[in-house]
Amino acid sequence: MPLVNDLPKLIPELQDVPEIRTFQDILKVRDFVFSTVPWFKEPTDLRMNFHTNNVLNLYWDFKQYKAGGWCGLNATFFDLLMYWYGIRTRPYNYGVSFYGLTHIGIIVEYDGIEFFMDPYFAAHYVHRDGFPLPFRDLMNLIQDRKFDRFCSEYSSDARKLVLEEDGTYTQWSPEEMVEMAFVGSPNYKKTLTRIFGVDDPRILMLIKI
């Protein structure tokens, strides 16, 4: 049974989200995950089992910089928190395996509708008018190559701690995290951008070829 009433007491940063009442509350938890899980070049070797990890142990490991990593760790932590709030979720793995570039996010059910959440980049997809885009509609638009009908919406406030090579930490925005993720694969982005006519790397990754 989700321990939603205990979350604000155990995790101070979530005091203003005693329960999930609105879509914005989900975004607050997602942005909390983005800002809490530090980024290490070499991810911490943790067992990333959905619904089985101890969420509080992970939280304190992140706060003390004992653990950090990439999309899998962010997705796991976010999934665990959603479980505590009583929100139905499922992980979604995707990418272009030919390039060795894959990613994972969490599909969240809110008000009977599924939405794709990306806690690693503090982002989700929206219609061009700014309204959240249901996951089913997102997949249909991608299948039909109607990339002009939707876009990514990144958090404007969340900042991730990034461990630099000199051992210091800096704070990066979601947009900076996206750019960093694709520094090592410029040809991948350039090629798919030319083929599909889009420049959002996360949209490109959703396209399975």
Side-chain angles (χ1 to χ4, degrees):
M1 189 71 179
L3 306 177
V4 61
N5 292 330
D6 290 335
L7 272 177
K9 301 176 184 178
L10 301 173
I11 301 179
E13 293 93 332
L14 295 177
Q15 287 184 353
D16 63 337
V17 191
E19 58 183 300
I20 300 296
R21 298 178 179 176
T22 66
F23 189 79
Q24 194 64 32
D25 287 335
I26 295 176
L27 300 185
K28 289 180 180 178
V29 178
R30 182 206 64 192
D31 292 353
F32 159 73
V33 171
F34 176 86
S35 299
T36 300
V37 182
W39 186 87
F40 295 168
K41 186 174 182 180
E42 297 296 333
T44 309
D45 183 17
L46 295 175
R47 292 182 177 272
M48 295 183 292
N49 298 319
F50 292 92
H51 291 177
T52 60
N53 278 327
N54 186 307
V55 66
L56 291 179
N57 285 347
L58 284 176
Y59 169 72
W60 285 111
D61 282 346
F62 298 146
K63 296 294 288 186
Q64 299 173 35
Y65 310 135
K66 293 181 179 179
W70 297 2
C71 55
L73 201 53
N74 286 259
T76 299
F77 191 44
F78 179 65
D79 184 75
L80 287 167
L81 290 171
M82 287 292 97
Y83 174 72
W84 273 39
Y85 277 110
I87 300 298
R88 295 182 62 179
T89 62
R90 58 188 175 98
Y92 184 73
N93 292 277
Y94 62 94
V96 183
S97 58
F98 177 79
Y99 289 92
L101 186 60
T102 58
H103 193 52
I104 183 172
I106 297 295
I107 297 175
V108 175
E109 183 178 315
Y110 172 73
D111 200 20
I113 302 174
E114 290 187 328
F115 297 90
F116 179 80
M117 289 286 157
D118 191 334
Y120 186 62
F121 291 125
H124 62 290
Y125 293 101
V126 298
H127 294 280
R128 285 295 178 179
D129 58 10
F131 284 94
L133 180 62
F135 180 70
R136 178 180 294 180
D137 295 344
L138 171 65
M139 292 294 98
N140 288 337
L141 289 173
I142 290 175
Q143 182 177 0
D144 295 338
R145 301 295 190 260
K146 295 180 179 179
F147 303 115
D148 60 333
R149 300 276 297 276
F150 67 99
C151 60
S152 303
E153 183 167 287
Y154 300 93
S155 170
S156 60
D157 300 322
R159 294 293 181 271
K160 180 175 287 294
L161 287 175
V162 174
L163 177 63
E164 303 289 356
E165 292 184 358
D166 61 2
T168 61
Y169 285 91
T170 56
Q171 293 188 338
W172 290 35
S173 69
E175 291 89 344
E176 290 171 323
M177 288 296 296
V178 170
E179 290 302 316
M180 179 185 68
F182 286 84
V183 166
S185 54
N187 290 332
Y188 163 83
K189 180 178 179 180
K190 180 179 179 181
T191 300
L192 293 190
T193 299
R194 185 175 66 251
I195 294 174
F196 296 107
V198 292
D199 57 8
D200 185 330
R202 294 183 314 108
I203 293 177
L204 298 178
M205 290 175 68
L206 279 165
I207 302 169
K208 298 183 178 180
I209 60 174

